[in-house]
Every structure is written in structure tokens, then in C-alpha cells.
Amino acid sequence: MNALQKTLSIIAFLALSTQTVRHAYLLGFEPRTSVLDRFDQPLKGDISRAQSLEELVSRYEPVRKQTDEARQQLSKAGKTPGYTEESQTEPYKSEKALREAITEWEGRSKEIRELRVYWGVGFVFFVLGALAYRTLGRWSGLTLLIAAFAEFICWTSPSFLGNGREFDRLLVNKLVLSVLSLILLVAVIWRGRIFYDQGGQSAG
């Protein structure tokens, strides 16, 4: 059983440590700007600097009104905006960009809620596993601990592609919980003496 514990501990440590480093890199070191940014429309910068969902919605409302009016005018003329107009001309282009930004913000907020809830579930498994390991037997405790760290690793796994305040908030949550997961893992390894041989010496 000790060999299984060592193997699982190594796998968990590799997963948690590598994704913790990645979260830290994305937050502190990844370039967020490009030399091409000055050629983009100012709206892109406004979206990335938005402090709240309400701020994005307040920007979206007048643009949506302009888009609806433009569509009504085309409808009266017996026309509808084509794909090129929708993606390349104003106000359609701004309306689409803001709508996508709002959708992404709501999606990231949902991810943060799920992350906290399911990490909390994992922590409950961890506590139960630690108690079971001492009172009910090593196998029952190990089963719950495996479930706990599976939750930790799954829900703190890297998020790809994103920008803005809510994406940064998601990364902060994942970084903090990844570090906490690593601390709990090290505590299990130390308390369980997983990498110690029968003589009490550290296994080489």
C-alpha cells in the first residue's frame, strides 16, 4: 500500500505544483498588451478595463439601442444587415464585442462559484478522509483522500483564453486554492510518513 501512496502523492504533487506555477505566471508575468493594440478600436481597451458587470452593461445599453434602430431602418427599407455589416461596421461591431464581453464575464463568475463550492466539497472529503484514516482504516481513509485531491486538482486546473477583471479574479481564486491544496498534500505526506521507510529514514 505504501508504494500506491507514494505514486499517488507524486502524481498529485506534480499536477498541483505545475498548475500553481502556471496560475502565478498568468497573473504576474504573462504579457497582456501587444504593439497592435494601438490600431484596435478604443472599445477593446474599455472592455478590458471594466471594473464590474454593471459597467459593461451600462456601455452595452446605448450601443444596443443604436443597433436596434439601425436594424429597424434597414427593415423599413426591406433589407437586413449581412454578415459583413454585422462583424465589420458600427454599431453592430461594438454591440457584438460588448455582448461577448458580458457573456464571458457571466461565465467566469459562474466558474468562480463552482470552483469555491467544489473545492469546499473536496475539503469535506479531506477532513472525512483524515478522520477515517485514523479510525476506520487506511483504505477507507485513502479512498476519501483520493476523492478530495481529485476535486482539488480538477477544479483548480488551468483556465485558457481570457481577459479582464473577472478572468483575473478567477486566476487569483485558482492560485490561492492551488496553494492551499499543495499545503494539504504536504501535510498528508508528512503526517502519513509516506516517504519514510520502516526504519524511519527518508526513502531515497
Side-chain angles (χ1 to χ4, degrees), residues 7-148:
T7 301
L8 293 174
S9 297
I10 291 170
I11 292 172
F13 185 84
L14 287 174
L16 287 170
S17 59
T18 53
Q19 67 191 34
T20 299
V21 171
R22 186 179 186 278
H23 296 327
Y25 170 78
L26 288 177
L27 273 172
F29 302 101
E30 185 183 50
R32 298 295 183 94
T33 59
S34 167
V35 294
L36 298 175
D37 287 347
R38 62 193 178 97
F39 299 106
D40 292 334
Q41 57 176 334
L43 180 62
K44 182 178 178 181
D46 293 338
I47 290 174
S48 64
R49 290 189 295 269
Q51 300 291 320
S52 65
L53 180 62
E54 290 72 22
E55 183 177 342
L56 286 175
V57 172
S58 67
R59 292 180 180 275
Y60 178 74
E61 287 176 346
V63 175
R64 177 59 186 265
K65 184 178 180 180
Q66 293 173 15
T67 304
D68 289 342
E69 291 174 351
R71 287 196 177 104
Q72 287 176 3
Q73 291 176 1
L74 287 174
S75 179
K76 289 178 181 178
K79 300 178 182 179
T80 56
Y83 173 79
T84 301
E85 289 177 298
E86 290 276 7
S87 60
Q88 300 296 330
T89 62
E90 296 294 348
Y92 305 109
K93 186 176 180 180
S94 294
E95 190 270 340
K96 180 182 178 183
L98 285 163
R99 185 175 68 250
E100 290 175 350
I102 291 171
T103 301
E104 181 182 351
W105 189 293
E106 291 175 333
R108 297 303 183 187
S109 296
K110 181 182 177 182
E111 283 187 64
I112 292 171
R113 287 193 299 272
E114 290 176 340
L115 167 64
R116 292 173 176 175
V117 168
Y118 286 108
W119 194 94
V121 170
F123 185 73
V124 172
F125 285 152
F126 176 85
V127 173
L128 293 175
L131 293 174
Y133 196 92
R134 291 182 135 201
T135 58
L136 300 179
R138 298 176 72 184
W139 281 111
S140 57
L142 182 61
T143 300
L144 287 167
L145 289 174
I146 291 172

Side-chain angles (χ1 to χ4, degrees), residues 140-202:
S140 57
L142 182 61
T143 300
L144 287 167
L145 289 174
I146 291 172
F149 282 100
E151 292 285 347
F152 294 159
I153 293 170
C154 174
W155 290 98
T156 59
S157 60
S159 295
F160 299 93
L161 301 177
N163 200 3
R165 297 282 178 176
E166 200 66 358
F167 181 69
D168 287 348
R169 196 161 74 92
L170 174 63
L171 286 178
V172 169
N173 276 263
K174 288 199 171 191
L175 177 59
V176 170
L177 294 179
S178 289
V179 171
L180 289 176
S181 301
L182 268 175
I183 292 172
L184 293 175
L185 177 62
V186 171
V188 168
I189 292 172
W190 179 68
R191 292 286 295 176
R193 301 176 67 85
I194 292 174
F195 289 99
Y196 283 77
D197 61 20
Q198 292 181 350
Q201 300 296 318
S202 177

